[in-house]
Amino acid sequence: MSAGCLAVLLILAGIVYTVTEKTPRKTPLKIMDDQVDLQVMNVHYTEATEEGVTWEVHADSAQYRKKENLAVFKSPKIKLMMPNGRSFVLSGKEGYLHQDSKDMELSGDVQLASNNGDSFKTDLLKYSGSEKRCYTNSPVSFRNSRIQVDAKGMSISLKDEHLSLLSGVKAYIHK
């Protein structure tokens, strides 16, 4: 009887071995790009600069690429709090932050709102860390309680709050 059990076990082992040898090996699921060194979900990052500006970043996800010294954010929402009490909130579908220069680029339904009621909309917005300036060559729409302005291209200095509209400016004043 034990010889019969041994024979059945050997037959079953042979069948299992044959089936597993014929099954193709699965390639592992690739979760991150080879260039990505770190990936996190539900990001909250805060930084205070020497000039007294505070950055607060929220994003659905972020990737860090060490070789490029670049952080890539999905659905970023960035709050800039200035030393004079002014604050700005930037949001978009995707954002890139160069860690060394603090230069940033936001794309996809970009919105910029200030705490005094000014709001901007565009498709692409860049920020220069060294100049403390937001700028774009894309169409932009600016609104507040008194005026609506549409233009192609703009530049906003966060230091002196100077706004320049580059071309095709159309303004509507609300009464």
Side-chain angles (χ1 to χ4, degrees), residues 144-175:
N144 65 25
S145 62
R146 300 166 300 179
I147 193 167
Q148 174 184 337
V149 179
D150 296 316
K152 183 154 176 27
M154 74 163 189
S155 176
I156 303 172
S157 169
L158 298 180
K159 288 181 190 176
D160 59 10
E161 299 181 20
H162 181 80
L163 168 67
S164 297
L165 299 169
L166 304 181
S167 67
V169 179
K170 294 178 185 176
Y172 308 94
I173 299 173
H174 304 286
K175 292 182 181 181

PDB file of all heavy atoms in Angstrom, residues 144-175:
ATOM      1  N   ASN A 144     -10.287  90.126 -11.540  1.00  0.00           N
ATOM      2  CA  ASN A 144     -10.561  90.474 -10.152  1.00  0.00           C
ATOM      3  C   ASN A 144     -11.932  91.136 -10.132  1.00  0.00           C
ATOM      4  O   ASN A 144     -12.647  91.106 -11.139  1.00  0.00           O
ATOM      5  CB  ASN A 144      -9.446  91.328  -9.524  1.00  0.00           C
ATOM      6  CG  ASN A 144      -9.293  92.699 -10.144  1.00  0.00           C
ATOM      7  OD1 ASN A 144     -10.232  93.241 -10.720  1.00  0.00           O
ATOM      8  ND2 ASN A 144      -8.111  93.265 -10.033  1.00  0.00           N
ATOM      9  N   SER A 145     -12.321  91.748  -9.037  1.00  0.00           N
ATOM     10  CA  SER A 145     -13.674  92.303  -8.924  1.00  0.00           C
ATOM     11  C   SER A 145     -13.900  93.511  -9.827  1.00  0.00           C
ATOM     12  O   SER A 145     -15.037  93.842 -10.139  1.00  0.00           O
ATOM     13  CB  SER A 145     -13.959  92.676  -7.471  1.00  0.00           C
ATOM     14  OG  SER A 145     -13.042  93.674  -7.051  1.00  0.00           O
ATOM     15  N   ARG A 146     -12.828  94.155 -10.295  1.00  0.00           N
ATOM     16  CA  ARG A 146     -12.974  95.378 -11.094  1.00  0.00           C
ATOM     17  C   ARG A 146     -12.685  95.214 -12.574  1.00  0.00           C
ATOM     18  O   ARG A 146     -13.144  96.017 -13.375  1.00  0.00           O
ATOM     19  CB  ARG A 146     -12.041  96.455 -10.558  1.00  0.00           C
ATOM     20  CG  ARG A 146     -12.299  96.826  -9.104  1.00  0.00           C
ATOM     21  CD  ARG A 146     -11.167  97.610  -8.561  1.00  0.00           C
ATOM     22  NE  ARG A 146      -9.985  96.735  -8.672  1.00  0.00           N
ATOM     23  CZ  ARG A 146      -8.779  97.056  -8.319  1.00  0.00           C
ATOM     24  NH1 ARG A 146      -8.524  98.232  -7.851  1.00  0.00           N
ATOM     25  NH2 ARG A 146      -7.781  96.207  -8.441  1.00  0.00           N
ATOM     26  N   ILE A 147     -11.899  94.193 -12.953  1.00  0.00           N
ATOM     27  CA  ILE A 147     -11.426  94.127 -14.330  1.00  0.00           C
ATOM     28  C   ILE A 147     -11.225  92.683 -14.782  1.00  0.00           C
ATOM     29  O   ILE A 147     -10.968  91.799 -13.967  1.00  0.00           O
ATOM     30  CB  ILE A 147     -10.098  94.925 -14.474  1.00  0.00           C
ATOM     31  CG1 ILE A 147      -9.745  95.152 -15.938  1.00  0.00           C
ATOM     32  CG2 ILE A 147      -8.973  94.242 -13.723  1.00  0.00           C
ATOM     33  CD1 ILE A 147      -8.633  96.182 -16.136  1.00  0.00           C
ATOM     34  N   GLN A 148     -11.380  92.473 -16.086  1.00  0.00           N
ATOM     35  CA  GLN A 148     -11.045  91.201 -16.712  1.00  0.00           C
ATOM     36  C   GLN A 148     -10.120  91.533 -17.877  1.00  0.00           C
ATOM     37  O   GLN A 148     -10.423  92.390 -18.691  1.00  0.00           O
ATOM     38  CB  GLN A 148     -12.280  90.485 -17.236  1.00  0.00           C
ATOM     39  CG  GLN A 148     -11.957  89.243 -18.022  1.00  0.00           C
ATOM     40  CD  GLN A 148     -13.192  88.589 -18.614  1.00  0.00           C
ATOM     41  OE1 GLN A 148     -14.296  88.776 -18.132  1.00  0.00           O
ATOM     42  NE2 GLN A 148     -12.998  87.821 -19.669  1.00  0.00           N
ATOM     43  N   VAL A 149      -8.981  90.848 -17.937  1.00  0.00           N
ATOM     44  CA  VAL A 149      -8.003  91.094 -18.993  1.00  0.00           C
ATOM     45  C   VAL A 149      -7.606  89.765 -19.617  1.00  0.00           C
ATOM     46  O   VAL A 149      -7.294  88.810 -18.905  1.00  0.00           O
ATOM     47  CB  VAL A 149      -6.734  91.792 -18.437  1.00  0.00           C
ATOM     48  CG1 VAL A 149      -5.729  92.018 -19.546  1.00  0.00           C
ATOM     49  CG2 VAL A 149      -7.091  93.102 -17.760  1.00  0.00           C
ATOM     50  N   ASP A 150      -7.635  89.729 -20.956  1.00  0.00           N
ATOM     51  CA  ASP A 150      -7.151  88.572 -21.701  1.00  0.00           C
ATOM     52  C   ASP A 150      -5.949  89.031 -22.511  1.00  0.00           C
ATOM     53  O   ASP A 150      -5.952  90.130 -23.070  1.00  0.00           O
ATOM     54  CB  ASP A 150      -8.235  88.025 -22.631  1.00  0.00           C
ATOM     55  CG  ASP A 150      -9.432  87.492 -21.858  1.00  0.00           C
ATOM     56  OD1 ASP A 150      -9.203  86.789 -20.845  1.00  0.00           O
ATOM     57  OD2 ASP A 150     -10.567  87.775 -22.249  1.00  0.00           O
ATOM     58  N   ALA A 151      -4.905  88.198 -22.576  1.00  0.00           N
ATOM     59  CA  ALA A 151      -3.689  88.572 -23.294  1.00  0.00           C
ATOM     60  C   ALA A 151      -2.948  87.319 -23.716  1.00  0.00           C
ATOM     61  O   ALA A 151      -3.295  86.207 -23.317  1.00  0.00           O
ATOM     62  CB  ALA A 151      -2.799  89.443 -22.415  1.00  0.00           C
ATOM     63  N   LYS A 152      -1.929  87.521 -24.496  1.00  0.00           N
ATOM     64  CA  LYS A 152      -1.016  86.430 -24.851  1.00  0.00           C
ATOM     65  C   LYS A 152       0.316  86.738 -24.191  1.00  0.00           C
ATOM     66  O   LYS A 152       1.000  87.680 -24.567  1.00  0.00           O
ATOM     67  CB  LYS A 152      -0.842  86.322 -26.356  1.00  0.00           C
ATOM     68  CG  LYS A 152       0.055  85.153 -26.749  1.00  0.00           C
ATOM     69  CD  LYS A 152      -0.273  84.688 -28.132  1.00  0.00           C
ATOM     70  CE  LYS A 152       0.582  83.615 -28.699  1.00  0.00           C
ATOM     71  NZ  LYS A 152       1.260  82.683 -27.992  1.00  0.00           N
ATOM     72  N   GLY A 153       0.635  85.963 -23.166  1.00  0.00           N
ATOM     73  CA  GLY A 153       1.884  86.128 -22.438  1.00  0.00           C
ATOM     74  C   GLY A 153       1.783  87.109 -21.297  1.00  0.00           C
ATOM     75  O   GLY A 153       1.049  88.091 -21.368  1.00  0.00           O
ATOM     76  N   MET A 154       2.505  86.806 -20.216  1.00  0.00           N
ATOM     77  CA  MET A 154       2.545  87.706 -19.059  1.00  0.00           C
ATOM     78  C   MET A 154       3.774  87.417 -18.225  1.00  0.00           C
ATOM     79  O   MET A 154       4.405  86.374 -18.347  1.00  0.00           O
ATOM     80  CB  MET A 154       1.306  87.559 -18.192  1.00  0.00           C
ATOM     81  CG  MET A 154       1.282  86.306 -17.377  1.00  0.00           C
ATOM     82  SD  MET A 154       0.095  86.421 -16.044  1.00  0.00           S
ATOM     83  CE  MET A 154       0.519  84.940 -15.167  1.00  0.00           C
ATOM     84  N   SER A 155       4.077  88.362 -17.360  1.00  0.00           N
ATOM     85  CA  SER A 155       5.164  88.226 -16.401  1.00  0.00           C
ATOM     86  C   SER A 155       4.721  88.914 -15.115  1.00  0.00           C
ATOM     87  O   SER A 155       4.229  90.045 -15.162  1.00  0.00           O
ATOM     88  CB  SER A 155       6.435  88.883 -16.943  1.00  0.00           C
ATOM     89  OG  SER A 155       7.463  88.835 -15.977  1.00  0.00           O
ATOM     90  N   ILE A 156       4.875  88.229 -13.987  1.00  0.00           N
ATOM     91  CA  ILE A 156       4.519  88.795 -12.684  1.00  0.00           C
ATOM     92  C   ILE A 156       5.733  88.690 -11.777  1.00  0.00           C
ATOM     93  O   ILE A 156       6.240  87.603 -11.538  1.00  0.00           O
ATOM     94  CB  ILE A 156       3.371  88.024 -12.007  1.00  0.00           C
ATOM     95  CG1 ILE A 156       2.145  87.969 -12.884  1.00  0.00           C
ATOM     96  CG2 ILE A 156       3.032  88.630 -10.655  1.00  0.00           C
ATOM     97  CD1 ILE A 156       1.068  87.058 -12.332  1.00  0.00           C
ATOM     98  N   SER A 157       6.177  89.819 -11.263  1.00  0.00           N
ATOM     99  CA  SER A 157       7.257  89.829 -10.288  1.00  0.00           C
ATOM    100  C   SER A 157       6.640  89.680  -8.908  1.00  0.00           C
ATOM    101  O   SER A 157       5.785  90.475  -8.514  1.00  0.00           O
ATOM    102  CB  SER A 157       8.038  91.142 -10.368  1.00  0.00           C
ATOM    103  OG  SER A 157       8.918  91.239  -9.267  1.00  0.00           O
ATOM    104  N   LEU A 158       7.061  88.654  -8.182  1.00  0.00           N
ATOM    105  CA  LEU A 158       6.545  88.470  -6.832  1.00  0.00           C
ATOM    106  C   LEU A 158       7.249  89.386  -5.840  1.00  0.00           C
ATOM    107  O   LEU A 158       6.754  89.587  -4.739  1.00  0.00           O
ATOM    108  CB  LEU A 158       6.680  87.009  -6.406  1.00  0.00           C
ATOM    109  CG  LEU A 158       5.906  86.000  -7.257  1.00  0.00           C
ATOM    110  CD1 LEU A 158       6.110  84.588  -6.733  1.00  0.00           C
ATOM    111  CD2 LEU A 158       4.436  86.338  -7.336  1.00  0.00           C
ATOM    112  N   LYS A 159       8.390  89.957  -6.234  1.00  0.00           N
ATOM    113  CA  LYS A 159       9.104  90.893  -5.363  1.00  0.00           C
ATOM    114  C   LYS A 159       8.350  92.206  -5.245  1.00  0.00           C
ATOM    115  O   LYS A 159       8.057  92.670  -4.149  1.00  0.00           O
ATOM    116  CB  LYS A 159      10.504  91.184  -5.915  1.00  0.00           C
ATOM    117  CG  LYS A 159      11.492  90.071  -5.799  1.00  0.00           C
ATOM    118  CD  LYS A 159      12.820  90.533  -6.371  1.00  0.00           C
ATOM    119  CE  LYS A 159      13.798  89.413  -6.525  1.00  0.00           C
ATOM    120  NZ  LYS A 159      15.032  89.858  -7.171  1.00  0.00           N
ATOM    121  N   ASP A 160       8.070  92.815  -6.402  1.00  0.00           N
ATOM    122  CA  ASP A 160       7.422  94.136  -6.377  1.00  0.00           C
ATOM    123  C   ASP A 160       5.985  94.108  -6.887  1.00  0.00           C
ATOM    124  O   ASP A 160       5.364  95.149  -7.062  1.00  0.00           O
ATOM    125  CB  ASP A 160       8.246  95.150  -7.175  1.00  0.00           C
ATOM    126  CG  ASP A 160       8.423  94.750  -8.625  1.00  0.00           C
ATOM    127  OD1 ASP A 160       7.764  93.799  -9.088  1.00  0.00           O
ATOM    128  OD2 ASP A 160       9.239  95.401  -9.312  1.00  0.00           O
ATOM    129  N   GLU A 161       5.455  92.902  -7.159  1.00  0.00           N
ATOM    130  CA  GLU A 161       4.077  92.707  -7.616  1.00  0.00           C
ATOM    131  C   GLU A 161       3.784  93.477  -8.893  1.00  0.00           C
ATOM    132  O   GLU A 161       2.689  93.995  -9.096  1.00  0.00           O
ATOM    133  CB  GLU A 161       3.090  93.059  -6.502  1.00  0.00           C
ATOM    134  CG  GLU A 161       3.277  92.199  -5.278  1.00  0.00           C
ATOM    135  CD  GLU A 161       2.299  92.522  -4.178  1.00  0.00           C
ATOM    136  OE1 GLU A 161       1.246  93.121  -4.442  1.00  0.00           O
ATOM    137  OE2 GLU A 161       2.599  92.155  -3.030  1.00  0.00           O
ATOM    138  N   HIS A 162       4.751  93.546  -9.777  1.00  0.00           N
ATOM    139  CA  HIS A 162       4.603  94.209 -11.066  1.00  0.00           C
ATOM    140  C   HIS A 162       4.116  93.192 -12.097  1.00  0.00           C
ATOM    141  O   HIS A 162       4.695  92.127 -12.247  1.00  0.00           O
ATOM    142  CB  HIS A 162       5.942  94.824 -11.505  1.00  0.00           C
ATOM    143  CG  HIS A 162       5.861  95.534 -12.804  1.00  0.00           C
ATOM    144  ND1 HIS A 162       5.363  96.800 -12.933  1.00  0.00           N
ATOM    145  CD2 HIS A 162       6.207  95.131 -14.051  1.00  0.00           C
ATOM    146  CE1 HIS A 162       5.407  97.161 -14.194  1.00  0.00           C
ATOM    147  NE2 HIS A 162       5.911  96.165 -14.900  1.00  0.00           N
ATOM    148  N   LEU A 163       3.053  93.529 -12.825  1.00  0.00           N
ATOM    149  CA  LEU A 163       2.468  92.665 -13.841  1.00  0.00           C
ATOM    150  C   LEU A 163       2.707  93.269 -15.211  1.00  0.00           C
ATOM    151  O   LEU A 163       2.435  94.461 -15.426  1.00  0.00           O
ATOM    152  CB  LEU A 163       0.958  92.509 -13.604  1.00  0.00           C
ATOM    153  CG  LEU A 163       0.149  91.873 -14.731  1.00  0.00           C
ATOM    154  CD1 LEU A 163       0.516  90.414 -14.906  1.00  0.00           C
ATOM    155  CD2 LEU A 163      -1.337  92.022 -14.453  1.00  0.00           C
ATOM    156  N   SER A 164       3.208  92.462 -16.150  1.00  0.00           N
ATOM    157  CA  SER A 164       3.365  92.878 -17.541  1.00  0.00           C
ATOM    158  C   SER A 164       2.607  91.891 -18.412  1.00  0.00           C
ATOM    159  O   SER A 164       2.770  90.673 -18.268  1.00  0.00           O
ATOM    160  CB  SER A 164       4.838  92.861 -17.960  1.00  0.00           C
ATOM    161  OG  SER A 164       5.574  93.773 -17.216  1.00  0.00           O
ATOM    162  N   LEU A 165       1.770  92.419 -19.307  1.00  0.00           N
ATOM    163  CA  LEU A 165       1.076  91.600 -20.294  1.00  0.00           C
ATOM    164  C   LEU A 165       1.772  91.833 -21.626  1.00  0.00           C
ATOM    165  O   LEU A 165       2.043  92.978 -21.994  1.00  0.00           O
ATOM    166  CB  LEU A 165      -0.400  91.985 -20.349  1.00  0.00           C
ATOM    167  CG  LEU A 165      -1.135  91.783 -19.024  1.00  0.00           C
ATOM    168  CD1 LEU A 165      -2.507  92.419 -19.069  1.00  0.00           C
ATOM    169  CD2 LEU A 165      -1.233  90.308 -18.690  1.00  0.00           C
ATOM    170  N   LEU A 166       2.067  90.759 -22.360  1.00  0.00           N
ATOM    171  CA  LEU A 166       2.972  90.870 -23.492  1.00  0.00           C
ATOM    172  C   LEU A 166       2.324  91.301 -24.805  1.00  0.00           C
ATOM    173  O   LEU A 166       2.872  92.142 -25.512  1.00  0.00           O
ATOM    174  CB  LEU A 166       3.726  89.547 -23.679  1.00  0.00           C
ATOM    175  CG  LEU A 166       4.494  89.059 -22.447  1.00  0.00           C
ATOM    176  CD1 LEU A 166       5.220  87.772 -22.750  1.00  0.00           C
ATOM    177  CD2 LEU A 166       5.447  90.124 -21.938  1.00  0.00           C
ATOM    178  N   SER A 167       1.174  90.744 -25.194  1.00  0.00           N
ATOM    179  CA  SER A 167       0.562  91.138 -26.465  1.00  0.00           C
ATOM    180  C   SER A 167      -0.909  90.763 -26.501  1.00  0.00           C
ATOM    181  O   SER A 167      -1.389  90.003 -25.667  1.00  0.00           O
ATOM    182  CB  SER A 167       1.293  90.465 -27.637  1.00  0.00           C
ATOM    183  OG  SER A 167       1.085  89.071 -27.608  1.00  0.00           O
ATOM    184  N   GLY A 168      -1.615  91.310 -27.488  1.00  0.00           N
ATOM    185  CA  GLY A 168      -3.028  90.977 -27.697  1.00  0.00           C
ATOM    186  C   GLY A 168      -3.895  91.264 -26.492  1.00  0.00           C
ATOM    187  O   GLY A 168      -4.822  90.515 -26.206  1.00  0.00           O
ATOM    188  N   VAL A 169      -3.634  92.348 -25.808  1.00  0.00           N
ATOM    189  CA  VAL A 169      -4.326  92.659 -24.556  1.00  0.00           C
ATOM    190  C   VAL A 169      -5.738  93.185 -24.838  1.00  0.00           C
ATOM    191  O   VAL A 169      -5.926  94.115 -25.624  1.00  0.00           O
ATOM    192  CB  VAL A 169      -3.538  93.690 -23.729  1.00  0.00           C
ATOM    193  CG1 VAL A 169      -4.274  94.038 -22.446  1.00  0.00           C
ATOM    194  CG2 VAL A 169      -2.141  93.165 -23.433  1.00  0.00           C
ATOM    195  N   LYS A 170      -6.730  92.585 -24.176  1.00  0.00           N
ATOM    196  CA  LYS A 170      -8.125  93.035 -24.236  1.00  0.00           C
ATOM    197  C   LYS A 170      -8.584  93.173 -22.791  1.00  0.00           C
ATOM    198  O   LYS A 170      -8.486  92.221 -22.016  1.00  0.00           O
ATOM    199  CB  LYS A 170      -9.016  92.036 -24.959  1.00  0.00           C
ATOM    200  CG  LYS A 170      -8.690  91.889 -26.417  1.00  0.00           C
ATOM    201  CD  LYS A 170      -9.580  90.861 -27.056  1.00  0.00           C
ATOM    202  CE  LYS A 170      -9.168  90.621 -28.495  1.00  0.00           C
ATOM    203  NZ  LYS A 170      -9.951  89.553 -29.101  1.00  0.00           N
ATOM    204  N   ALA A 171      -9.078  94.351 -22.429  1.00  0.00           N
ATOM    205  CA  ALA A 171      -9.486  94.606 -21.036  1.00  0.00           C
ATOM    206  C   ALA A 171     -10.967  94.972 -20.984  1.00  0.00           C
ATOM    207  O   ALA A 171     -11.481  95.687 -21.849  1.00  0.00           O
ATOM    208  CB  ALA A 171      -8.642  95.713 -20.441  1.00  0.00           C
ATOM    209  N   TYR A 172     -11.652  94.501 -19.969  1.00  0.00           N
ATOM    210  CA  TYR A 172     -13.037  94.808 -19.704  1.00  0.00           C
ATOM    211  C   TYR A 172     -13.141  95.306 -18.269  1.00  0.00           C
ATOM    212  O   TYR A 172     -12.764  94.598 -17.352  1.00  0.00           O
ATOM    213  CB  TYR A 172     -13.907  93.560 -19.876  1.00  0.00           C
ATOM    214  CG  TYR A 172     -13.698  92.865 -21.204  1.00  0.00           C
ATOM    215  CD1 TYR A 172     -12.788  91.808 -21.311  1.00  0.00           C
ATOM    216  CD2 TYR A 172     -14.376  93.275 -22.350  1.00  0.00           C
ATOM    217  CE1 TYR A 172     -12.571  91.170 -22.509  1.00  0.00           C
ATOM    218  CE2 TYR A 172     -14.167  92.653 -23.557  1.00  0.00           C
ATOM    219  CZ  TYR A 172     -13.267  91.596 -23.633  1.00  0.00           C
ATOM    220  OH  TYR A 172     -13.040  90.966 -24.827  1.00  0.00           O
ATOM    221  N   ILE A 173     -13.654  96.497 -18.089  1.00  0.00           N
ATOM    222  CA  ILE A 173     -13.780  97.078 -16.750  1.00  0.00           C
ATOM    223  C   ILE A 173     -15.205  96.880 -16.271  1.00  0.00           C
ATOM    224  O   ILE A 173     -16.168  97.204 -16.978  1.00  0.00           O
ATOM    225  CB  ILE A 173     -13.404  98.571 -16.763  1.00  0.00           C
ATOM    226  CG1 ILE A 173     -11.947  98.707 -17.215  1.00  0.00           C
ATOM    227  CG2 ILE A 173     -13.644  99.198 -15.402  1.00  0.00           C
ATOM    228  CD1 ILE A 173     -11.503 100.138 -17.425  1.00  0.00           C
ATOM    229  N   HIS A 174     -15.342  96.335 -15.075  1.00  0.00           N
ATOM    230  CA  HIS A 174     -16.660  96.103 -14.473  1.00  0.00           C
ATOM    231  C   HIS A 174     -17.068  97.341 -13.698  1.00  0.00           C
ATOM    232  O   HIS A 174     -16.287  97.928 -12.977  1.00  0.00           O
ATOM    233  CB  HIS A 174     -16.618  94.899 -13.509  1.00  0.00           C
ATOM    234  CG  HIS A 174     -16.127  93.646 -14.160  1.00  0.00           C
ATOM    235  ND1 HIS A 174     -16.873  92.921 -15.031  1.00  0.00           N
ATOM    236  CD2 HIS A 174     -14.937  92.998 -14.053  1.00  0.00           C
ATOM    237  CE1 HIS A 174     -16.180  91.871 -15.433  1.00  0.00           C
ATOM    238  NE2 HIS A 174     -15.007  91.903 -14.851  1.00  0.00           N
ATOM    239  N   LYS A 175     -18.319  97.717 -13.835  1.00  0.00           N
ATOM    240  CA  LYS A 175     -18.819  98.895 -13.116  1.00  0.00           C
ATOM    241  C   LYS A 175     -19.405  98.495 -11.797  1.00  0.00           C
ATOM    242  O   LYS A 175     -19.844  97.484 -11.521  1.00  0.00           O
ATOM    243  CB  LYS A 175     -19.876  99.617 -13.957  1.00  0.00           C
ATOM    244  CG  LYS A 175     -19.252 100.244 -15.195  1.00  0.00           C
ATOM    245  CD  LYS A 175     -20.312 100.983 -15.949  1.00  0.00           C
ATOM    246  CE  LYS A 175     -19.696 101.608 -17.208  1.00  0.00           C
ATOM    247  NZ  LYS A 175     -20.636 102.352 -17.967  1.00  0.00           N
TER     248      LYS A 175
END
